[in-house]
Amino acid sequence: MRKLYDLHVHSRYSIHDAQQSEENSIIGLCKKAEDIGLSGVAFSDHLDADLYHAGIQPLDNDGIMNECKTAAEMFPKLAVIHSVEIGQQMYFSGICSDIIKKYNYDMVISSTHVVEAQRENITSQVNFSELSQSEARGFFEQNMRETLYTAKYCDTDVLAHITYPLRYFKRHGIEHLANISDDMDIYDEIFKAIIHRGIALEINTSGIRQGHGETFPNMFLAKRYMELGGELFTVGSDSHFPEHLGSDIKEVTKQLSEIGAKYTVFYKERKPIFVNLK
């Protein structure tokens, strides 16, 4: 029986957008993970570096670390992975480096939620209907450039949901401005960078349940990553609510196997542990 891991989970420590309940505590989520048959969970609460630096989005790193330790003792059969999702790492690399060193994460995930041109809004809050087509296209291109910078230079183990903006482009009816086939050059650059540095590509399942209809990135891009020599995949639900824990992990892991992936990985002490898909 194939082992399943949800490697992108937000607990109630992500105070600005995750459910604030006992069910969504780290211990509560570990209990549910065991109940639904997961073999491991990575707790990857938000540390958006720009908002953290400004004091807008605090994160109780000590509380997370201690609760992960307690959960690991309470659930010895479950891989409890102490992780973090760092957004906009390129802007505050010094602060992020200090935090990474201090808290000894098992796994560091990096993402781009905000671009320089829209620093006052995370992507989900941008009203794309108020932008011209050239402005919206410029937003997407800058997001890709900043993702590429992260892939090349930032301290990370996993590059998260690289097609994240497509969720909002589709909602605003402008997905034609970010057609994957038209942007293969930049995707190839990102893939080559993470392959060179040994960084895993996250397949984020949230797009399936949120109406986008496919993962971020999709299987077409996952296969392209493999064609370029990529082998390291993580799969995560990006859950912010306990009912989303483990969502579509089984099906997406199966899809990866069907396109030829040999394994997924999770991390302990920043070192990959391979999970055979065969």
Side-chain angles (χ1 to χ4, degrees), residues 184-211:
M184 288 309 299
D185 287 349
I186 186 68
Y187 287 118
D188 280 359
E189 284 191 74
I190 292 168
F191 293 153
K192 289 174 183 177
I194 62 174
I195 291 166
H196 176 71
R197 297 185 63 210
I199 295 168
L201 178 67
E202 179 191 88
I203 306 298
N204 188 299
T205 72
S206 65
I208 297 172
R209 70 176 182 272
Q210 293 176 352

PDB file of all heavy atoms in Angstrom, residues 184-211:
ATOM      1  N   MET A 184       6.824  28.604 -21.763  1.00  0.00           N
ATOM      2  CA  MET A 184       7.675  27.461 -21.427  1.00  0.00           C
ATOM      3  C   MET A 184       9.123  27.858 -21.162  1.00  0.00           C
ATOM      4  O   MET A 184       9.818  27.200 -20.384  1.00  0.00           O
ATOM      5  CB  MET A 184       7.599  26.403 -22.518  1.00  0.00           C
ATOM      6  CG  MET A 184       6.263  25.642 -22.539  1.00  0.00           C
ATOM      7  SD  MET A 184       5.764  24.967 -20.927  1.00  0.00           S
ATOM      8  CE  MET A 184       7.112  23.849 -20.563  1.00  0.00           C
ATOM      9  N   ASP A 185       9.591  28.943 -21.776  1.00  0.00           N
ATOM     10  CA  ASP A 185      10.979  29.359 -21.552  1.00  0.00           C
ATOM     11  C   ASP A 185      11.241  29.664 -20.084  1.00  0.00           C
ATOM     12  O   ASP A 185      12.245  29.220 -19.511  1.00  0.00           O
ATOM     13  CB  ASP A 185      11.326  30.577 -22.407  1.00  0.00           C
ATOM     14  CG  ASP A 185      11.484  30.231 -23.885  1.00  0.00           C
ATOM     15  OD1 ASP A 185      11.526  29.026 -24.205  1.00  0.00           O
ATOM     16  OD2 ASP A 185      11.563  31.165 -24.704  1.00  0.00           O
ATOM     17  N   ILE A 186      10.322  30.409 -19.444  1.00  0.00           N
ATOM     18  CA  ILE A 186      10.540  30.769 -18.041  1.00  0.00           C
ATOM     19  C   ILE A 186      10.333  29.558 -17.135  1.00  0.00           C
ATOM     20  O   ILE A 186      11.076  29.360 -16.169  1.00  0.00           O
ATOM     21  CB  ILE A 186       9.643  31.961 -17.608  1.00  0.00           C
ATOM     22  CG1 ILE A 186       9.983  32.409 -16.186  1.00  0.00           C
ATOM     23  CG2 ILE A 186       8.170  31.621 -17.712  1.00  0.00           C
ATOM     24  CD1 ILE A 186      11.331  33.034 -16.029  1.00  0.00           C
ATOM     25  N   TYR A 187       9.349  28.707 -17.467  1.00  0.00           N
ATOM     26  CA  TYR A 187       9.178  27.490 -16.664  1.00  0.00           C
ATOM     27  C   TYR A 187      10.423  26.613 -16.769  1.00  0.00           C
ATOM     28  O   TYR A 187      10.882  26.052 -15.765  1.00  0.00           O
ATOM     29  CB  TYR A 187       7.936  26.716 -17.113  1.00  0.00           C
ATOM     30  CG  TYR A 187       6.638  27.369 -16.695  1.00  0.00           C
ATOM     31  CD1 TYR A 187       5.712  27.807 -17.641  1.00  0.00           C
ATOM     32  CD2 TYR A 187       6.325  27.543 -15.346  1.00  0.00           C
ATOM     33  CE1 TYR A 187       4.519  28.404 -17.253  1.00  0.00           C
ATOM     34  CE2 TYR A 187       5.136  28.134 -14.949  1.00  0.00           C
ATOM     35  CZ  TYR A 187       4.233  28.565 -15.917  1.00  0.00           C
ATOM     36  OH  TYR A 187       3.063  29.165 -15.525  1.00  0.00           O
ATOM     37  N   ASP A 188      10.977  26.494 -17.967  1.00  0.00           N
ATOM     38  CA  ASP A 188      12.194  25.694 -18.126  1.00  0.00           C
ATOM     39  C   ASP A 188      13.349  26.274 -17.299  1.00  0.00           C
ATOM     40  O   ASP A 188      14.130  25.522 -16.697  1.00  0.00           O
ATOM     41  CB  ASP A 188      12.594  25.635 -19.602  1.00  0.00           C
ATOM     42  CG  ASP A 188      11.792  24.615 -20.397  1.00  0.00           C
ATOM     43  OD1 ASP A 188      10.931  23.931 -19.799  1.00  0.00           O
ATOM     44  OD2 ASP A 188      12.024  24.498 -21.618  1.00  0.00           O
ATOM     45  N   GLU A 189      13.459  27.603 -17.258  1.00  0.00           N
ATOM     46  CA  GLU A 189      14.514  28.217 -16.446  1.00  0.00           C
ATOM     47  C   GLU A 189      14.338  27.877 -14.970  1.00  0.00           C
ATOM     48  O   GLU A 189      15.313  27.578 -14.267  1.00  0.00           O
ATOM     49  CB  GLU A 189      14.509  29.737 -16.634  1.00  0.00           C
ATOM     50  CG  GLU A 189      15.100  30.232 -17.926  1.00  0.00           C
ATOM     51  CD  GLU A 189      15.296  31.745 -17.885  1.00  0.00           C
ATOM     52  OE1 GLU A 189      16.227  32.211 -17.206  1.00  0.00           O
ATOM     53  OE2 GLU A 189      14.484  32.445 -18.525  1.00  0.00           O
ATOM     54  N   ILE A 190      13.107  27.949 -14.502  1.00  0.00           N
ATOM     55  CA  ILE A 190      12.826  27.618 -13.099  1.00  0.00           C
ATOM     56  C   ILE A 190      13.170  26.159 -12.825  1.00  0.00           C
ATOM     57  O   ILE A 190      13.835  25.829 -11.827  1.00  0.00           O
ATOM     58  CB  ILE A 190      11.351  27.919 -12.760  1.00  0.00           C
ATOM     59  CG1 ILE A 190      11.096  29.431 -12.782  1.00  0.00           C
ATOM     60  CG2 ILE A 190      10.974  27.329 -11.399  1.00  0.00           C
ATOM     61  CD1 ILE A 190       9.626  29.814 -12.740  1.00  0.00           C
ATOM     62  N   PHE A 191      12.736  25.281 -13.709  1.00  0.00           N
ATOM     63  CA  PHE A 191      13.003  23.853 -13.501  1.00  0.00           C
ATOM     64  C   PHE A 191      14.502  23.560 -13.509  1.00  0.00           C
ATOM     65  O   PHE A 191      14.999  22.801 -12.668  1.00  0.00           O
ATOM     66  CB  PHE A 191      12.297  23.026 -14.576  1.00  0.00           C
ATOM     67  CG  PHE A 191      10.794  23.045 -14.491  1.00  0.00           C
ATOM     68  CD1 PHE A 191      10.018  22.855 -15.623  1.00  0.00           C
ATOM     69  CD2 PHE A 191      10.156  23.248 -13.278  1.00  0.00           C
ATOM     70  CE1 PHE A 191       8.632  22.860 -15.548  1.00  0.00           C
ATOM     71  CE2 PHE A 191       8.761  23.268 -13.180  1.00  0.00           C
ATOM     72  CZ  PHE A 191       8.004  23.072 -14.329  1.00  0.00           C
ATOM     73  N   LYS A 192      15.217  24.142 -14.446  1.00  0.00           N
ATOM     74  CA  LYS A 192      16.663  23.901 -14.507  1.00  0.00           C
ATOM     75  C   LYS A 192      17.356  24.404 -13.249  1.00  0.00           C
ATOM     76  O   LYS A 192      18.307  23.771 -12.754  1.00  0.00           O
ATOM     77  CB  LYS A 192      17.246  24.578 -15.748  1.00  0.00           C
ATOM     78  CG  LYS A 192      16.863  23.896 -17.049  1.00  0.00           C
ATOM     79  CD  LYS A 192      17.349  24.684 -18.254  1.00  0.00           C
ATOM     80  CE  LYS A 192      16.895  24.035 -19.563  1.00  0.00           C
ATOM     81  NZ  LYS A 192      17.294  24.842 -20.744  1.00  0.00           N
ATOM     82  N   ALA A 193      16.872  25.517 -12.695  1.00  0.00           N
ATOM     83  CA  ALA A 193      17.472  26.067 -11.476  1.00  0.00           C
ATOM     84  C   ALA A 193      17.268  25.141 -10.289  1.00  0.00           C
ATOM     85  O   ALA A 193      18.208  24.872  -9.517  1.00  0.00           O
ATOM     86  CB  ALA A 193      16.891  27.451 -11.182  1.00  0.00           C
ATOM     87  N   ILE A 194      16.043  24.632 -10.114  1.00  0.00           N
ATOM     88  CA  ILE A 194      15.810  23.773  -8.946  1.00  0.00           C
ATOM     89  C   ILE A 194      16.460  22.401  -9.129  1.00  0.00           C
ATOM     90  O   ILE A 194      16.900  21.787  -8.154  1.00  0.00           O
ATOM     91  CB  ILE A 194      14.315  23.660  -8.579  1.00  0.00           C
ATOM     92  CG1 ILE A 194      13.485  23.032  -9.698  1.00  0.00           C
ATOM     93  CG2 ILE A 194      13.768  25.019  -8.183  1.00  0.00           C
ATOM     94  CD1 ILE A 194      12.025  22.779  -9.287  1.00  0.00           C
ATOM     95  N   ILE A 195      16.535  21.925 -10.359  1.00  0.00           N
ATOM     96  CA  ILE A 195      17.235  20.660 -10.604  1.00  0.00           C
ATOM     97  C   ILE A 195      18.716  20.816 -10.251  1.00  0.00           C
ATOM     98  O   ILE A 195      19.303  19.964  -9.570  1.00  0.00           O
ATOM     99  CB  ILE A 195      17.055  20.223 -12.074  1.00  0.00           C
ATOM    100  CG1 ILE A 195      15.607  19.810 -12.333  1.00  0.00           C
ATOM    101  CG2 ILE A 195      18.010  19.069 -12.415  1.00  0.00           C
ATOM    102  CD1 ILE A 195      15.247  19.681 -13.797  1.00  0.00           C
ATOM    103  N   HIS A 196      19.310  21.915 -10.681  1.00  0.00           N
ATOM    104  CA  HIS A 196      20.725  22.170 -10.410  1.00  0.00           C
ATOM    105  C   HIS A 196      21.012  22.240  -8.916  1.00  0.00           C
ATOM    106  O   HIS A 196      22.046  21.755  -8.448  1.00  0.00           O
ATOM    107  CB  HIS A 196      21.145  23.472 -11.089  1.00  0.00           C
ATOM    108  CG  HIS A 196      22.558  23.892 -10.797  1.00  0.00           C
ATOM    109  ND1 HIS A 196      23.651  23.227 -11.315  1.00  0.00           N
ATOM    110  CD2 HIS A 196      23.057  24.904 -10.009  1.00  0.00           C
ATOM    111  CE1 HIS A 196      24.760  23.801 -10.883  1.00  0.00           C
ATOM    112  NE2 HIS A 196      24.436  24.803 -10.088  1.00  0.00           N
ATOM    113  N   ARG A 197      20.071  22.819  -8.154  1.00  0.00           N
ATOM    114  CA  ARG A 197      20.300  23.020  -6.722  1.00  0.00           C
ATOM    115  C   ARG A 197      19.724  21.902  -5.855  1.00  0.00           C
ATOM    116  O   ARG A 197      19.878  21.919  -4.635  1.00  0.00           O
ATOM    117  CB  ARG A 197      19.708  24.367  -6.289  1.00  0.00           C
ATOM    118  CG  ARG A 197      20.361  25.561  -6.954  1.00  0.00           C
ATOM    119  CD  ARG A 197      19.823  26.873  -6.382  1.00  0.00           C
ATOM    120  NE  ARG A 197      20.139  26.984  -4.974  1.00  0.00           N
ATOM    121  CZ  ARG A 197      19.377  27.637  -4.088  1.00  0.00           C
ATOM    122  NH1 ARG A 197      18.258  28.226  -4.469  1.00  0.00           N
ATOM    123  NH2 ARG A 197      19.735  27.693  -2.823  1.00  0.00           N
ATOM    124  N   GLY A 198      19.048  20.921  -6.451  1.00  0.00           N
ATOM    125  CA  GLY A 198      18.482  19.824  -5.674  1.00  0.00           C
ATOM    126  C   GLY A 198      17.264  20.213  -4.871  1.00  0.00           C
ATOM    127  O   GLY A 198      16.998  19.649  -3.796  1.00  0.00           O
ATOM    128  N   ILE A 199      16.493  21.179  -5.377  1.00  0.00           N
ATOM    129  CA  ILE A 199      15.263  21.641  -4.722  1.00  0.00           C
ATOM    130  C   ILE A 199      14.077  20.880  -5.295  1.00  0.00           C
ATOM    131  O   ILE A 199      13.997  20.662  -6.510  1.00  0.00           O
ATOM    132  CB  ILE A 199      15.081  23.162  -4.937  1.00  0.00           C
ATOM    133  CG1 ILE A 199      16.207  23.926  -4.236  1.00  0.00           C
ATOM    134  CG2 ILE A 199      13.713  23.631  -4.453  1.00  0.00           C
ATOM    135  CD1 ILE A 199      16.288  25.388  -4.633  1.00  0.00           C
ATOM    136  N   ALA A 200      13.153  20.471  -4.439  1.00  0.00           N
ATOM    137  CA  ALA A 200      11.981  19.715  -4.882  1.00  0.00           C
ATOM    138  C   ALA A 200      10.922  20.651  -5.468  1.00  0.00           C
ATOM    139  O   ALA A 200      10.795  21.807  -5.073  1.00  0.00           O
ATOM    140  CB  ALA A 200      11.390  18.926  -3.721  1.00  0.00           C
ATOM    141  N   LEU A 201      10.158  20.106  -6.393  1.00  0.00           N
ATOM    142  CA  LEU A 201       9.008  20.811  -6.981  1.00  0.00           C
ATOM    143  C   LEU A 201       7.745  20.364  -6.262  1.00  0.00           C
ATOM    144  O   LEU A 201       7.429  19.172  -6.235  1.00  0.00           O
ATOM    145  CB  LEU A 201       8.902  20.487  -8.474  1.00  0.00           C
ATOM    146  CG  LEU A 201       7.702  21.114  -9.207  1.00  0.00           C
ATOM    147  CD1 LEU A 201       7.836  22.628  -9.273  1.00  0.00           C
ATOM    148  CD2 LEU A 201       7.570  20.522 -10.614  1.00  0.00           C
ATOM    149  N   GLU A 202       7.030  21.314  -5.683  1.00  0.00           N
ATOM    150  CA  GLU A 202       5.765  20.986  -5.036  1.00  0.00           C
ATOM    151  C   GLU A 202       4.646  20.873  -6.060  1.00  0.00           C
ATOM    152  O   GLU A 202       4.502  21.722  -6.936  1.00  0.00           O
ATOM    153  CB  GLU A 202       5.388  22.061  -4.019  1.00  0.00           C
ATOM    154  CG  GLU A 202       4.045  21.781  -3.331  1.00  0.00           C
ATOM    155  CD  GLU A 202       3.528  22.955  -2.527  1.00  0.00           C
ATOM    156  OE1 GLU A 202       2.822  23.820  -3.090  1.00  0.00           O
ATOM    157  OE2 GLU A 202       3.851  23.010  -1.326  1.00  0.00           O
ATOM    158  N   ILE A 203       3.848  19.816  -5.910  1.00  0.00           N
ATOM    159  CA  ILE A 203       2.587  19.693  -6.627  1.00  0.00           C
ATOM    160  C   ILE A 203       1.492  19.976  -5.607  1.00  0.00           C
ATOM    161  O   ILE A 203       1.241  19.189  -4.703  1.00  0.00           O
ATOM    162  CB  ILE A 203       2.411  18.297  -7.261  1.00  0.00           C
ATOM    163  CG1 ILE A 203       3.614  17.956  -8.151  1.00  0.00           C
ATOM    164  CG2 ILE A 203       1.120  18.254  -8.062  1.00  0.00           C
ATOM    165  CD1 ILE A 203       3.828  18.879  -9.327  1.00  0.00           C
ATOM    166  N   ASN A 204       0.880  21.146  -5.746  1.00  0.00           N
ATOM    167  CA  ASN A 204      -0.080  21.659  -4.768  1.00  0.00           C
ATOM    168  C   ASN A 204      -1.490  21.300  -5.240  1.00  0.00           C
ATOM    169  O   ASN A 204      -1.909  21.696  -6.326  1.00  0.00           O
ATOM    170  CB  ASN A 204       0.117  23.174  -4.664  1.00  0.00           C
ATOM    171  CG  ASN A 204      -0.680  23.815  -3.562  1.00  0.00           C
ATOM    172  OD1 ASN A 204      -1.896  23.757  -3.561  1.00  0.00           O
ATOM    173  ND2 ASN A 204       0.006  24.470  -2.624  1.00  0.00           N
ATOM    174  N   THR A 205      -2.212  20.552  -4.413  1.00  0.00           N
ATOM    175  CA  THR A 205      -3.509  20.020  -4.841  1.00  0.00           C
ATOM    176  C   THR A 205      -4.661  20.999  -4.666  1.00  0.00           C
ATOM    177  O   THR A 205      -5.794  20.697  -5.052  1.00  0.00           O
ATOM    178  CB  THR A 205      -3.861  18.735  -4.068  1.00  0.00           C
ATOM    179  OG1 THR A 205      -4.189  19.047  -2.706  1.00  0.00           O
ATOM    180  CG2 THR A 205      -2.725  17.726  -4.098  1.00  0.00           C
ATOM    181  N   SER A 206      -4.423  22.177  -4.114  1.00  0.00           N
ATOM    182  CA  SER A 206      -5.531  23.078  -3.764  1.00  0.00           C
ATOM    183  C   SER A 206      -6.366  23.501  -4.968  1.00  0.00           C
ATOM    184  O   SER A 206      -7.567  23.761  -4.845  1.00  0.00           O
ATOM    185  CB  SER A 206      -4.996  24.323  -3.047  1.00  0.00           C
ATOM    186  OG  SER A 206      -4.171  25.089  -3.911  1.00  0.00           O
ATOM    187  N   GLY A 207      -5.750  23.578  -6.151  1.00  0.00           N
ATOM    188  CA  GLY A 207      -6.494  23.994  -7.336  1.00  0.00           C
ATOM    189  C   GLY A 207      -7.638  23.064  -7.682  1.00  0.00           C
ATOM    190  O   GLY A 207      -8.636  23.488  -8.281  1.00  0.00           O
ATOM    191  N   ILE A 208      -7.523  21.794  -7.301  1.00  0.00           N
ATOM    192  CA  ILE A 208      -8.576  20.829  -7.615  1.00  0.00           C
ATOM    193  C   ILE A 208      -9.842  21.163  -6.842  1.00  0.00           C
ATOM    194  O   ILE A 208     -10.936  21.247  -7.402  1.00  0.00           O
ATOM    195  CB  ILE A 208      -8.101  19.400  -7.314  1.00  0.00           C
ATOM    196  CG1 ILE A 208      -6.902  19.037  -8.207  1.00  0.00           C
ATOM    197  CG2 ILE A 208      -9.237  18.396  -7.512  1.00  0.00           C
ATOM    198  CD1 ILE A 208      -6.246  17.716  -7.859  1.00  0.00           C
ATOM    199  N   ARG A 209      -9.699  21.387  -5.543  1.00  0.00           N
ATOM    200  CA  ARG A 209     -10.893  21.630  -4.717  1.00  0.00           C
ATOM    201  C   ARG A 209     -11.390  23.064  -4.820  1.00  0.00           C
ATOM    202  O   ARG A 209     -12.537  23.353  -4.459  1.00  0.00           O
ATOM    203  CB  ARG A 209     -10.617  21.262  -3.265  1.00  0.00           C
ATOM    204  CG  ARG A 209      -9.657  22.170  -2.535  1.00  0.00           C
ATOM    205  CD  ARG A 209      -9.495  21.799  -1.065  1.00  0.00           C
ATOM    206  NE  ARG A 209      -8.595  22.712  -0.385  1.00  0.00           N
ATOM    207  CZ  ARG A 209      -7.281  22.564  -0.316  1.00  0.00           C
ATOM    208  NH1 ARG A 209      -6.697  21.523  -0.888  1.00  0.00           N
ATOM    209  NH2 ARG A 209      -6.537  23.460   0.322  1.00  0.00           N
ATOM    210  N   GLN A 210     -10.559  23.976  -5.320  1.00  0.00           N
ATOM    211  CA  GLN A 210     -10.936  25.384  -5.364  1.00  0.00           C
ATOM    212  C   GLN A 210     -11.456  25.830  -6.728  1.00  0.00           C
ATOM    213  O   GLN A 210     -11.567  27.020  -6.991  1.00  0.00           O
ATOM    214  CB  GLN A 210      -9.748  26.254  -4.943  1.00  0.00           C
ATOM    215  CG  GLN A 210      -9.388  26.068  -3.482  1.00  0.00           C
ATOM    216  CD  GLN A 210      -8.151  26.845  -3.069  1.00  0.00           C
ATOM    217  OE1 GLN A 210      -7.451  27.417  -3.894  1.00  0.00           O
ATOM    218  NE2 GLN A 210      -7.874  26.868  -1.774  1.00  0.00           N
ATOM    219  N   GLY A 211     -11.752  24.860  -7.582  1.00  0.00           N
ATOM    220  CA  GLY A 211     -12.415  25.194  -8.839  1.00  0.00           C
ATOM    221  C   GLY A 211     -11.494  25.455 -10.012  1.00  0.00           C
ATOM    222  O   GLY A 211     -11.983  25.704 -11.127  1.00  0.00           O
TER     223      GLY A 211
END
